[in-house]
Amino acid sequence: GIPLKAQLVREIGEIIRSKGLTQTEAAKILGLTQPKLSAVLRGHFRGISERKLIACLTSLGRDVEIVVREAPGRRASGRITVVFS
């Protein structure tokens, strides 16, 4: 599947577009510089943590819920699933 950071960044970009924000306006809301936000939205997010991306989502008015549960018996290991609603 798509890596977690990429999914979070894609959603951040979609929210910014849906709100009609410029990158400069969005960067101010997110506590980033415009060049850093531009780099992140273009896929250069190596230096930014999942935690920061989640904080960006909450700054954009989204609730983020993390649910940890036991994997079904037929799967030995768990998996990470991101659901945007």
Side-chain angles (χ1 to χ4, degrees):
I2 299 170
L4 176 61
K5 279 188 184 183
Q7 292 181 62
L8 297 175
V9 168
R10 184 173 60 193
E11 184 69 9
I12 289 166
E14 287 179 15
I15 295 165
I16 290 169
R17 280 189 293 281
S18 74
K19 289 179 173 279
L21 298 171
T22 65
Q23 281 192 4
T24 302
E25 292 166 335
K28 187 176 239 181
I29 291 167
L30 302 177
L32 299 170
T33 64
Q34 183 277 325
K36 179 68 174 175
L37 175 58
S38 177
V40 167
L41 293 176
R42 285 183 286 114
H44 304 285
F45 40 78
R46 190 176 223 139
I48 193 162
S49 67
E50 284 95 349
R51 183 183 180 111
K52 176 60 179 171
L53 295 173
I54 289 168
C56 288
L57 287 166
T58 61
S59 294
L60 289 167
R62 297 303 191 264
D63 288 339
V64 177
E65 200 174 311
I66 298 173
V67 178
V68 179
R69 65 177 165 254
E70 192 171 343
R74 62 187 180 279
R75 271 197 291 115
S77 62
R79 67 173 180 224
I80 296 174
T81 305
V82 181
V83 177
F84 298 102
S85 57

